[in-house]
Amino acid sequence: MAAYNAGEFIARGLDSLARQTHTDIEVICIDDASTDNTPDILDGYAARDCRFHTIHLPENGGQAHARNAGLAVATGEYVCMLDADDWLSPNAIELAVAEFHKCGDTDCVLFDVVMEHGTRSEHYPMPDFTTLPGEEAFRLSLTWRIHGIYMTRAEIHKRYPYDESCRLYSDDNTTRLHYLASRKVGRCGGQYHYLQHGQSATHAVSAKRFDRLRADVSMKKQMETMGVDNEVIAGYESQRWLNLIDAYMFYHCHGKELTPNERAFGMAEMEKAWRDIDRAALPTSLSRKPGHWPMPTWRLFLMQEWAYFTLRDAFGRNR
């Protein structure tokens, strides 16, 4: 569990770990240089329960760096992550571990994710399956038809730790690499309660939103290093293209809320992505979609996006 200024809500998640029916666990809590009472809370749990251990980082390095610091000292056979504002059902770890024991070639086990919207809860919808080949799980994760909240073998997680090239979206990369490296990906009935709120970094108006484009570049390089089939990489280019369009929509809708330097940074990251994506690999169903045409030059692409999202503005569709 990586935590930064989470004192207001972290106890719920820590309590859910302390109450797991599978008791042979190691809980590594990483305080990412919090300025509130988070360090005291974590130290209190470590003092009361010998299974809890706290790492205090000297300066804030972001979620990927904090998680890697915990991963480096983890000694368990399996690893899973819990965000500081989320919690697990009492039997979640027990059910996940049972799936590994049931099928020896299962390398990742997905939890049953429950999205918590205050007074309303809903289960994350996924296709019906018991296990999937790792490559198929990877393909489904590109559009998040299956989610990325799971337990994996520690050996795989340590081979592919969190990508620290950007502060946001590195967990997306890591999830997909873990699926690719897996023989089989299974699922269990253990529930992961995922708190939904608009204060998360991925929902905030910030130049960090352009980190997704950097994360995409890093992901493609890692896929090439792993020797992933060219057809799979070509499919990933489609997702990168959609992420680029989404980044421009964010820029179009919120650019005025960013500083001049942030706007320049965002524009530069979008241009790098446009030039790096293999646009010839895009399927015609995507490349011929209005607002998604590759266009022969960067300037023409920008003109297209401005016109497309300005028109959407007129119909109130840029939400």
Side-chain angles (χ1 to χ4, degrees):
M1 176 187 286
Y4 175 70
N5 288 353
E8 180 181 352
F9 42 73
I10 195 171
R12 178 167 53 188
L14 294 170
D15 287 341
S16 77
L17 293 171
R19 296 167 182 164
Q20 287 297 303
T21 54
H22 185 92
T23 59
D24 184 16
I25 62 174
E26 174 185 52
V27 182
I28 302 171
C29 304
I30 308 94
D31 166 42
D32 197 12
S34 298
T35 58
D36 67 354
N37 63 337
T38 297
D40 295 331
I41 295 174
L42 296 179
D43 287 343
Y45 277 82
R48 295 189 297 271
D49 191 329
C50 64
R51 299 174 301 172
F52 284 69
H53 309 279
T54 303
I55 298 173
H56 296 286
L57 298 181
E59 59 183 34
N60 183 266
Q63 186 182 72
H65 178 71
R67 286 179 170 181
N68 283 340
L71 186 62
V73 300
T75 62
E77 184 178 359
Y78 311 110
V79 175
C80 63
M81 301 292 164
L82 180 66
D83 283 346
D85 51 356
D86 299 336
W87 65 98
L88 294 173
S89 63
N91 62 352
I93 293 178
E94 179 183 1
L95 293 177
V97 170
E99 289 301 314
F100 286 104
H101 292 172
K102 185 185 302 182
C103 188
D105 57 355
T106 295
D107 293 320
C108 288
V109 174
L110 278 66
F111 291 106
D112 177 17
V113 172
V114 182
M115 318 288 278
E116 300 290 354
H117 303 268
T119 58
R120 179 173 59 88
S121 301
E122 61 179 341
H123 288 260
Y124 191 103
M126 290 199 300
D128 185 25
F129 71 92
T130 302
T131 61
L132 294 168
E135 186 172 302
E136 177 62 17
F138 167 80
R139 291 176 186 272
L140 292 174
S141 75
L142 290 178
T143 54
W144 298 121
R145 289 192 64 201
I146 64 171
H147 58 69
I149 299 178
Y150 57 100
M151 181 181 289
T152 187
R153 295 186 185 274
E155 181 276 326
I156 289 178
H157 211 322
K158 293 192 176 190
R159 195 191 327 161
Y160 301 106
Y162 288 100
D163 179 2
E164 296 187 35
S165 63
C166 56
R167 287 202 169 205
L168 295 183
Y169 307 107
S170 68
D171 52 345
D172 292 1
N173 285 4
T174 304
T175 292
R176 290 162 175 160
L177 289 171
H178 290 172
Y179 291 166
L180 267 177
S182 295
R183 292 164 294 176
K184 288 183 180 179
V185 174
R187 66 193 301 179
C188 72
Q191 293 185 343
Y192 182 109
H193 295 269
Y194 185 7
L195 184 64
Q196 304 294 294
H197 55 81
Q199 298 176 352
S200 66
T202 53
H203 290 91
V205 176
S206 165
K208 292 179 182 178
R209 292 282 289 274
F210 299 108
D211 276 359
R212 180 184 292 278
L213 303 179
R214 285 189 170 187
D216 287 349
V217 172
S218 179
M219 177 71 192
K220 181 181 178 181
K221 288 179 179 178
Q222 291 185 79
M223 290 168 65
E224 291 172 340
T225 300
M226 293 172 68
V228 175
D229 187 86
N230 287 335
E231 182 183 351
V232 177
I233 294 177
Y236 185 60
E237 295 296 71
S238 295
Q239 187 58 41
R240 292 183 65 198
W241 189 248
L242 291 172
N243 289 344
L244 173 59
I245 303 299
D246 185 66
Y248 185 89
M249 183 175 74
F250 170 77
Y251 181 92
H252 182 90
C253 295
H254 300 288
K256 293 181 180 179
E257 300 171 58
L258 303 175
T259 68
N261 286 341
E262 289 174 331
R263 289 196 295 273
F265 168 76
M267 188 60 67
E269 290 300 311
M270 288 190 289
E271 183 176 1
K272 286 179 188 176
W274 180 84
R275 295 187 183 282
D276 186 70
I277 294 171
D278 181 6
R279 300 187 294 280
L282 301 178
T284 54
S285 59
L286 180 60
S287 63
R288 293 181 180 177
K289 185 178 178 181
H292 294 65
W293 301 338
M295 308 302 284
T297 68
W298 169 243
R299 186 174 295 276
L300 285 174
F301 175 76
L302 282 182
M303 292 173 62
Q304 170 192 231
E305 297 309 295
W306 178 85
Y308 177 66
F309 285 108
T310 298
L311 183 61
R312 285 174 59 95
D313 270 339
F315 290 93
R317 296 186 61 190
N318 288 336
R319 299 265 195 279

